[in-house]
Amino acid sequence: EVQLLESGGGLVQPGGSLSLSCAASGFSFSTSAMTWVRQTPGKGLECVSLIYESGGKTYYIDSVKGRFTISRDNSKNTLYLEMNSLRAEDTAIYYCVTGWQSSIWGQGTMVIVSS
Amino acid sequence: DVVMTQSPLSLPVTLGQPASISCRSSQSLVHSDGNTYLSWFQQRPGQSPRRLIYKVSNRDSGVPDRFSGSGSGTDFTLKISRVEAEDVGVYYCMQGTHWPRAFGQGTKVEIK
């Protein structure tokens, strides 16, 4: 059974940092592209970042470029999202999602940016 | 960036009756590899999204055959042949051809 377990969410002040992790199991992690998708009541679903299978190429949406870094450790079957200079508008549920076409979703981790 | 527009945004349906959701993209979703990467997702209350359909019309494993997807280019449709109580939730389309990926605003399906 495919499992994606996100962790690391929480409350952080504007300008602060947070690191998210996603532990994957039940599928070939090293041969799967991975994405982070966030969900807010206001903006809906937004695919924030994508990383190739090898980790050699990454994509970001404009609003997080230079602030967020996606990475992976294929030896640990783990996906990461390092978030710096956080803003109120980054408040969302962050989902770890498999594949180029978002096939399997984790349960999500809540990030709240507020003073 | 590609914009995905769904309609309607709210869809009250009688149990056992059909339902249809439209999704339009601002650009063609035909990829250079010849595939059209349009997916449909269901999000039940309190749950994560679940993919139902990929590449326009392919059902994911375990998805009931009352769900079907169709369309081409920029116009796509998700149909539920006979709505059941477990189908209540929000449905999203997503284009996976271009970066950034883009989701529709969501269509809330509820029982009348």
Side-chain angles (χ1 to χ4, degrees):
Chain A
E1 181 193 3
V2 174
Q3 286 200 332
L4 299 167
L5 190 61
E6 301 97 334
S7 61
L11 174 63
V12 62
Q13 292 190 339
S17 299
L18 215 52
S19 294
L20 306 184
S21 297
C22 171
S25 61
F27 67 104
S28 178
F29 180 78
S30 63
T31 60
S32 293
M34 297 293 295
T35 60
W36 286 99
V37 177
R38 67 186 179 186
Q39 184 171 29
T40 62
K43 291 197 74 176
L45 291 164
E46 194 174 39
C47 190
V48 171
S49 184
L50 179 151
I51 187 167
Y52 275 46
E53 295 84 342
S54 65
K57 193 163 185 176
T58 57
Y59 291 98
Y60 301 92
I61 55 173
D62 286 347
S63 61
V64 307
K65 275 181 190 172
R67 301 188 300 120
F68 289 13
T69 302
I70 190 172
S71 62
R72 63 192 298 162
D73 185 337
N74 286 345
S75 68
K76 295 182 178 179
N77 287 355
T78 303
L79 178 71
Y80 304 98
L81 186 68
E82 182 74 26
M83 303 186 294
N84 298 315
S85 303
L86 282 161
R87 305 167 181 167
E89 54 266 34
D90 296 319
T91 295
I93 299 172
Y94 284 75
Y95 295 101
C96 167
V97 186
T98 69
W100 288 97
Q101 304 304 326
S102 304
S103 50
I104 307 289
W105 297 56
Q107 88 289 346
T109 186
M110 185 73 206
V111 171
I112 300 173
V113 184
S114 174
S115 54
Chain B
D1 294 357
V2 177
V3 176
M4 306 297 288
T5 303
Q6 286 182 231
S7 63
L9 299 185
S10 177
L11 185 55
V13 187
T14 301
L15 286 173
Q17 292 301 301
S20 179
I21 301 170
S22 171
C23 175
R24 290 185 173 172
S25 59
S26 60
Q27 298 176 29
S28 171
L29 298 186
V30 180
H31 194 275
S32 56
D33 65 7
N35 290 305
T36 299
Y37 294 105
L38 185 285
S39 301
W40 288 96
F41 298 84
Q42 174 195 61
Q43 188 172 30
R44 289 171 172 154
Q47 295 186 12
S48 303
R50 165 201 181 196
R51 196 178 71 180
L52 301 175
I53 303 282
Y54 63 97
K55 286 197 288 185
V56 181
S57 60
N58 296 273
R59 268 190 308 276
D60 274 279
S61 176
V63 174
D65 60 9
R66 64 179 181 274
F67 290 94
S68 64
S70 63
S72 63
T74 61
D75 286 331
F76 305 93
T77 303
L78 175 71
K79 291 184 179 177
I80 310 174
S81 59
R82 293 173 304 279
V83 171
E84 298 189 5
E86 66 179 18
D87 300 335
V88 165
V90 182
Y91 292 77
Y92 299 92
C93 60
M94 185 203 81
Q95 68 84 11
T97 297
H98 308 281
W99 183 266
R101 301 286 188 256
F103 292 86
Q105 318 96 301
T107 296
K108 187 173 184 178
V109 172
E110 57 185 11
I111 305 300
K112 280 184 186 174

